[in-house]
């Protein structure tokens, strides 16, 4: 059974906000949610992580629901260089699960 | 500013051949990891080393062995390569063994094809 569930693909217009959802209903109470992205099969690039509260850094914002069963990664002003596969990652029983990710295409 | 360096970047093997993939990090991290990524899938953990001198199995360890040579280096060995091991292999490191508040940093991968 999947540890995380993400839509397989999404489009976003350049300059608009990209909102990428993730369901992680089996996450433990003290486990963080991480987001990474992968461009052109390069090594995954760290974006952001969080536990309970919403988080923001220079790349993105992370919104985690109060029950922690889902989260949303927000890229506030998507650019063409944000086109990538985005992975929502949780740790279950000690193992880190990447899932299949969301392929985000930013359209000019 | 190398971060995590993997060698080689590409390799083609014949079934039954052996091969060692090398990984080195220059961030003084304690923990290192090996993942594989198959087409259209996310990464799956093969082995990890929480600290120098220790190694443990991940999600898909069968057919692989690892060696934590020192704090900087963590190698992955295929003793008898099989076509099912055709994949892209990523090495990663983190300051400590916990994603609790420590992101992992990844190399650019080794693309391995086994004929």
């Amino acid at each position: 059974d999947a540890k995380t569930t993400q839509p397989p693909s999404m489009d976003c217009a350049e300059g608009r906000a990209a909102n990428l959802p993730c369901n992680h209903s089996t996450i433990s109470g003290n486990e963080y949610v991480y987001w990474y992205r992968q461009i052109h099969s390069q090594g995954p690039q760290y974006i952001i992580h969080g536990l309970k509260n919403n988080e923001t850094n220079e790349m993105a914002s992370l919104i985690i629901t109060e029950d922690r069963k889902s989260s949303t990664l927000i890229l506030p002003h998507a650019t063409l260089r944000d086109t990538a596969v985005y992975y929502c990652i949780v740790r279950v029983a000690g193992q880190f699960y990447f899932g299949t990710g969301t392929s985000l295409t930013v359209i000019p | 500013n190398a971060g995590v360096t993997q060698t080689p970047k590409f390799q083609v093997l014949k079934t039954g051949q052996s091969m060692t993939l090398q990984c080195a990090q220059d961030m003084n991290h304690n923990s290192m990891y090996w993942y594989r990524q198959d087409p259209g899938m996310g990464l799956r953990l093969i082995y990890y080393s929480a600290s120098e001198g220790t190694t443990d199995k991940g999600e898909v360890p069968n057919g692989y062995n690892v060696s934590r040579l020192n704090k900087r280096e963590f190698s992955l060995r295929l003793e008898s390569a099989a076509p099912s091991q055709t994949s892209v292999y990523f090495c990663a490191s983190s300051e400590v063994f916990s994603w609790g508040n420590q992101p992992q940093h990844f190399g650019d991968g080794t693309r391995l094809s086994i004929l």
Side-chain angles (χ1 to χ4, degrees):
Chain A
D1 57 341
K3 312 305 179 186
T4 61
T5 305
Q6 298 177 254
S9 62
M10 294 180 63
D11 293 337
C12 178
E14 187 178 17
R16 303 297 294 270
N19 297 285
L20 291 87
C22 177
N23 290 322
H24 35 75
S25 58
T26 58
I27 192 171
S28 302
N30 60 348
E31 296 287 1
Y32 284 72
V33 178
Y34 280 79
W35 283 82
Y36 276 69
R37 71 182 183 184
Q38 192 172 25
I39 300 172
H40 296 309
S41 298
Q42 296 175 11
Q45 177 189 22
Y46 166 76
I47 301 173
I48 198 168
H49 70 282
L51 182 63
K52 296 180 181 179
N53 302 319
N54 298 339
E55 302 288 344
T56 296
N57 63 19
E58 64 278 7
M59 291 182 68
S61 295
L62 176 60
I63 309 297
I64 303 174
T65 58
E66 191 169 345
D67 63 8
R68 297 195 357 103
K69 292 185 177 182
S70 65
S71 60
T72 300
L73 178 75
I74 301 172
L75 307 177
H77 305 287
T79 70
L80 299 180
R81 287 176 294 182
D82 292 323
T83 291
V85 178
Y86 287 77
Y87 293 100
C88 166
I89 301 159
V90 298
R91 187 166 74 170
V92 177
Q95 299 287 344
F96 302 112
Y97 290 92
F98 270 73
T100 54
T102 296
S103 178
L104 175 69
T105 301
V106 180
I107 301 170
Chain B
N1 190 22
V4 178
T5 303
Q6 293 184 234
T7 55
K9 296 189 184 303
F10 302 93
Q11 185 69 49
V12 179
L13 295 176
K14 294 181 179 179
T15 298
Q17 287 185 315
S18 61
M19 170 80 189
T20 299
L21 280 60
Q22 307 288 351
C23 175
Q25 52 90 10
D26 62 2
M27 296 172 282
N28 200 36
H29 284 172
N30 290 293
S31 303
M32 298 184 73
Y33 312 80
W34 275 105
Y35 293 87
R36 62 177 287 174
Q37 184 174 32
D38 299 312
M41 298 182 66
L43 280 69
R44 291 182 292 169
L45 184 64
I46 305 171
Y47 270 93
Y48 64 91
S49 172
S51 61
E52 186 178 357
T54 69
T55 61
D56 285 285
K57 296 177 179 179
E59 185 183 359
V60 288
N62 292 344
Y64 305 95
N65 287 303
V66 290
S67 295
R68 184 72 182 269
L69 304 171
N70 48 55
K71 192 172 185 179
R72 289 186 65 250
E73 299 173 287
F74 188 39
S75 63
L76 178 72
R77 183 163 178 84
L78 287 70
E79 290 291 352
S80 179
S84 61
Q85 294 177 304
T86 293
S87 190
V88 181
Y89 291 84
F90 289 100
C91 177
S93 71
S94 64
E95 190 170 341
V96 294
F97 177 63
S98 170
W99 276 32
N101 200 31
Q102 297 292 332
Q104 293 185 4
H105 301 264
F106 286 82
D108 286 333
T110 294
R111 284 147 184 80
L112 183 60
S113 293
I114 300 166
L115 308 177

